[in-house]
């Protein structure tokens, strides 16, 4: 196969959870630019539809779908809706996630449960719903968004539930990769470092000491820089990879 052709997603259908803004929106665009028809989900129909309209304006076939990843029935409904709109899902990018900050003694139990329900249970629900369909068709690619926070303790804010959830994402990626490889399903994850998004204003001076200076490259990432990594893991360019965690952090975790 031609090396550049291996990155093509022409004729593929992708679902990006949490794809209406930030890293999810950037990765959805990258998958579309590589040729995929892209469904983007959000917790509100308005946000999903707005993101899909933006992608269509760029010439990308896109569909917005309301999805609450913590609700098994809603997951099944949304996956069926995407399949009805575009056909069977070839690529699942599990990006939906939340985080809370606060000292462990101060956080409410409900905050812990909310983070785990979205970041871990949600990924589990969507992966199984799409994975069952991939198994029936003979394969597919699942890309999970973990974090370098699975390996380090972020500063200056404490955020134990988020760190624990992302460590679970990494291990769940490996578990599903091992179990589903015989079905032709590849499961990999990326571990982003600090990227500038609405939820992560790492361009502010108070974050430089903690989020920029410790990185070997002495800068934060831009969302568009994560898109090509998503394309790589979703495409045949990574055809001999499964269970891998690809760190994209500007060298933050080297030290």
């Amino acid at each position: 196969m031609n090396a550049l052709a291996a990155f093509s997603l022409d004729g593929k259908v992708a679902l990006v959870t949490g794809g209406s803004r930030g890293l999810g929106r950037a990765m959805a665009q990258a998958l579309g630019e590589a040729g995929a028809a892209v469904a983007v989900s959000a917790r509100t129909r308005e946000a999903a539809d707005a993101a899909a309209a933006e992608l269509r304006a760029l010439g990308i076939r896109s569909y917005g779908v309301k999805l609450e990843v913590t609700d098994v029935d809603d997951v099944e409904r949304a996956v069926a809706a995407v399949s009805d709109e575009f056909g069977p899902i070839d690529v699942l990018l599990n990006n939906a996630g939340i985080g809370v900050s606060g000292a462990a003694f101060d956080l409410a139990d409900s905050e812990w449960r909310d983070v785990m329900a979205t970041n871990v249970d949600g990924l589990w629900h969507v992966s199984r719903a799409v994975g069952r369909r991939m198994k029936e068709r003979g394969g597919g690619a699942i890309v999970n968004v973990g974090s370098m926070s699975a390996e380090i303790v972020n500063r200056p804010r404490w955020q134990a539930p988020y760190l624990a959830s992302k460590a679970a994402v990494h291990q769940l990626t490996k578990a599903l990769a091992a179990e589903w490889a015989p079905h032709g399903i590849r499961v990999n994850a990326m571990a982003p470092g600090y990227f500038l998004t609405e939820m992560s204003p790492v361009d502010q001076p108070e974050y430089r000491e903690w989020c920029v200076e410790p990185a070997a490259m002495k800068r934060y990432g831009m969302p568009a820089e994560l898109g090509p990594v998503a394309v790589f893991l979703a495409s045949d360019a990574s055809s001999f990879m499964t269970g891998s965690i690809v760190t994209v952090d500007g060298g933050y975790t080297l030290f």
Side-chain angles (χ1 to χ4, degrees):
M1 177 183 292
N2 178 275
L4 288 179
F7 288 87
S8 174
L9 294 174
D10 284 345
K12 303 292 187 180
V13 174
L15 168 61
V16 180
T17 68
S20 65
R21 61 178 180 168
L23 297 181
R25 169 63 177 76
M27 290 186 287
Q29 181 172 330
L31 295 177
E33 290 171 345
V38 183
V40 290
S41 86
R43 278 179 159 164
T44 69
R45 186 59 189 257
E46 293 76 15
D49 285 345
E54 291 174 357
L55 294 175
R56 285 195 295 271
L58 297 173
I60 295 168
R61 289 182 64 206
S62 187
Y63 173 67
V65 59
K66 179 182 179 295
L67 171 59
E68 175 50 68
V69 298
T70 65
D71 183 329
V72 176
D73 292 336
D74 201 45
V75 168
E76 290 290 343
R77 176 202 58 77
V79 170
V82 172
S83 298
D84 289 342
E85 181 72 17
F86 283 147
I89 297 169
D90 302 290
V91 175
L92 168 62
L93 200 162
N94 282 308
N95 175 71
I98 62 172
V100 297
S101 298
F105 287 135
D106 299 331
L107 289 173
D109 287 342
S110 60
E111 293 177 292
W112 167 272
R113 289 193 295 270
D114 287 346
V115 172
M116 298 305 250
T118 300
N119 297 5
V120 183
D121 296 350
L123 185 147
W124 170 255
H125 297 325
V126 183
S127 294
R128 290 212 300 172
V130 176
R132 287 190 185 101
R133 292 164 171 83
M134 288 179 171
K135 176 185 175 182
E136 292 174 358
R137 298 179 59 232
I142 297 177
V143 182
N144 297 325
V145 179
S147 175
M148 72 173 184
S149 300
E151 303 176 19
I152 66 167
V153 175
N154 299 84
R155 297 179 294 171
R157 299 178 298 177
W158 301 122
Q159 43 187 328
Y162 180 78
L163 274 59
S165 73
K166 290 304 183 179
V169 167
H170 287 196
Q171 193 64 4
L172 183 54
T173 295
K174 295 177 182 180
L176 295 181
E179 186 174 339
W180 292 353
H183 306 303
I185 303 171
R186 298 188 301 108
V187 188
N188 293 292
M190 57 182 72
Y194 289 113
F195 280 77
L196 178 63
T197 66
E198 302 96 318
M199 295 178 62
S200 183
V202 290
D203 58 338
Q204 299 303 304
E206 61 266 32
Y207 291 108
R208 185 167 187 85
E209 175 185 357
W210 308 101
C211 304
V212 176
E213 290 301 328
M217 295 179 72
K218 302 296 183 185
R219 68 176 181 88
Y220 49 78
M222 298 302 291
E225 294 181 282
L226 202 58
V229 183
V231 171
F232 168 63
L233 293 176
S235 70
D236 287 342
S238 59
S239 60
F240 195 51
M241 288 176 62
T242 197
S244 295
I245 313 296
V246 179
T247 302
V248 191
D249 68 353
Y252 192 99
T253 55
L254 289 175
F255 304 106

